[in-house]
Amino acid sequence: MKFITVNNLGSEDNNKIIEHFFKFGYFNEQLPQCFDSNDLYINFEKIKSFNDKKNPSEPATLTVAKNENARREIKVPNPIHQTKLFNILIDNIVDIKEKIDLGNRTLSNPFIEKDFYEEIMLDIPFKNRRSTFRFNLYKKMNSSMGYRYIYKLDLANFYDSIYTHAIEWAIVGKEVAKNKDGNKANKLGEQLDKGVRNTNSRETSGIPTGPFSSRILSELILISIDEELLQLKTESGIDFEFLHYNDDYEFYFKTELDYLKIISLIKSVFTKYRLKINESKCEFLEYPYHNNIDMKEEYEFYLKKYKDSNDNYQKTDIIVRLFFKADEFYKQGYKGAYKYLYKVIKGYDLSVVWGAVEPFFLGHILIKPDLTKYISEIIFEEEHLNKVSRKFCGELEKNLDTALKFKLDNEANWLLWMIFNLNIKLKSKQILSILDEADNEIFLTFFLSYVEHIGKIRQKRIIEKLNKLKETLIHESIYGPKWILIYQWVKSEWPYYNELKSKVEKNNSFKCLLKNDVSFIKL
């Protein structure tokens, strides 16, 4: 592989890549927009020279809904080591992209290129881009043409089960990586392995789910797995095809006998990389196995009628039927039915039917909290803000209490985001109750910022609660999972911040961040 660093690119491209990583690739998109790494992006040059080889760090974590019955952890790595990992990726971005681009069995390439000139860009959802759903569906249909059977393979807890040394295997091969005696021409895999472990307590099992760096590292491993699967196809003489989108694989077979002959060998490739297969979610199906409902056409049918109608009663009936149609798609298994609904109705004036859509909004937030991001964009439109009912606001407050009680971390974040943007001021009694209930460092960082914003951070009873919370943080390390709460507490000068300040200032990276007024949350 020919090695070219990012510095060989034009300065404009170089700056764009750095911006994409630090500004858009640090906080996961499932967090509310108040979590912001723009200051880190502006100041990354000042802190990247500081090196902490002695102490690994542990990321801040919170749980998000994976589906109706399961949750997964999202992590926000400590900037001390995440900055180093980003820089390794940035310095070798051309070579990493070159390797991933060789994989023609992936539908989840983390890089995109603009058509009008060559430019490395990261596929980060910081702005609205066209959906690749149809393109991917057509590629699946083309790859599976002539194959009667499909085997859908599901990897269990993918990011959490990645063996970090497999990153090095993916770059130079397992045998070369294990041979530590010789001088390897390529040190990149070793650097990436060490870099990601330093963000995660030097653990070799699992990489943080959340930052965009993990998407690139995981894809490197999957491309390497694809290469071994292609080799297996050649050596076995069995005719099969396959594609993957992130960790979801589809294998296509001519006959059931071909599947039975090769499936154990296919699974052994994943086992070699220490990945676990979730057998309960794997499926073996006969053609037809791909399907697609044109939700756009269905939704636009109702929206055209809605737009053309001048009768408010009729408009209400139309919009209710549109939402029921989305419910119907969702029950049929179309997971993106609601998300696409909110994308297509954004920009429509719903003020005359607001009473009819509010119950849908709250219901969808309850069953799919990740929709709150899209629902909030509609609610916060100027023509809608003054339509939000007191009952809706009251339900948000009740649901915040419920989310905290059941440790639904990110649901609590999004509900608080709605409360903040709707200018709802929680009463002191509610704030005290939340401080008793909440224990997630990411939510608490947001919540204390909110309490400061509404002018209640220095009320006597609240200060007493903060003193108790501060006492627990005294025993925490700036390298530990509470780093974001400790740092933001000192940065914002909340009560008793002087007792935590030494933790921040003992570390040169955090001292530099503090000096340059870097904040990780903006209200």
Side-chain angles (χ1 to χ4, degrees), residues 1 56 113 134 136 173 176 213 231 350 362 386 399 472:
M1 197 161 53
E113 288 189 9
R134 286 194 182 187
N136 289 345
V176 177
S213 52
Q231 185 179 350
L350 303 175
L362 203 56
N386 64 348
N399 279 290
T472 67

Side-chain angles (χ1 to χ4, degrees), residues 8 104 303 355 487:
N8 296 113
N104 60 2
L303 288 172
Y487 174 78

Side-chain angles (χ1 to χ4, degrees), residues 386-402:
N386 64 348
K387 293 291 183 179
V388 179
S389 68
R390 289 185 180 180
K391 184 177 181 181
F392 185 87
C393 293
E395 289 299 324
L396 290 178
E397 294 179 43
K398 291 177 185 176
N399 279 290
L400 176 59
D401 291 338
T402 302

